[in-house]
Amino acid sequence: VQLVESGGDLVQEGGSLRLSCATSGFTFDDFSVTWFRQAPGKEREGVACINLSERSTYYSESVEGRFTISRDYAKRTVYLQMNGLVPEDTAVYHCAAGLRYRTERTWNLANDYPYWGQGTQVTVSS
């Protein structure tokens, strides 16, 4: 199983970025994928989740309405479109995959995801 993130960059406040999580080594349809982020000195935070078969998506309150998660089955890739970026969004963003269907209570539990990418840095300047 391999997850490879890309798309991180330095961007000004109010700007946009699209992160990609390219996957291989597992049946893409069977996995839920979640983006997490971690800023220096802060706890890891679940940002957005897309369930297997796209039956549901979840977002943290801090990004709701600004970020959109989607998945392209042909490309085996999950995207995170980030608009209206603010300095508080600065972090290393990781995608993580797991077999189980995620609920509103469980989607952001990092320990439930066995597969992780190496991360991509997003920096938002004010």
Side-chain angles (χ1 to χ4, degrees):
V1 175
Q2 191 172 20
L3 305 172
V4 180
E5 302 96 333
S6 61
D9 205 345
L10 171 63
V11 64
Q12 286 193 332
E13 185 170 5
S16 298
L17 283 174
R18 188 177 79 159
L19 304 184
S20 299
C21 174
T23 73
S24 62
F26 61 90
T27 304
F28 188 63
D29 294 16
D30 292 343
F31 278 69
S32 298
V33 178
T34 294
W35 285 95
F36 290 85
R37 67 185 181 187
Q38 188 160 22
K42 294 188 177 181
E43 290 188 1
R44 184 163 45 191
E45 173 191 17
V47 174
C49 171
I50 187 162
N51 252 316
L52 51 93
S53 302
E54 291 185 78
R55 283 189 283 171
S56 55
T57 57
Y58 304 105
Y59 297 91
S60 67
E61 287 186 8
S62 60
V63 307
E64 180 88 49
R66 299 188 297 123
F67 290 11
T68 303
I69 190 169
S70 62
R71 62 198 292 168
D72 184 323
Y73 288 88
K75 296 182 178 179
R76 298 177 53 92
T77 299
V78 174
Y79 301 102
L80 185 67
Q81 178 66 43
M82 307 188 296
N83 299 327
L85 286 162
V86 296
E88 292 73 24
D89 295 319
T90 295
V92 177
Y93 285 70
H94 297 267
C95 60
L99 268 172
R100 288 198 303 277
Y101 182 80
R102 309 293 156 164
T103 70
E104 194 168 348
R105 290 195 306 119
T106 65
W107 71 270
N108 58 352
L109 300 178
N111 288 341
D112 278 0
Y113 294 86
Y115 307 112
W116 290 77
Q118 83 291 345
T120 186
Q121 176 70 48
V122 172
T123 303
V124 184
S125 63
S126 57

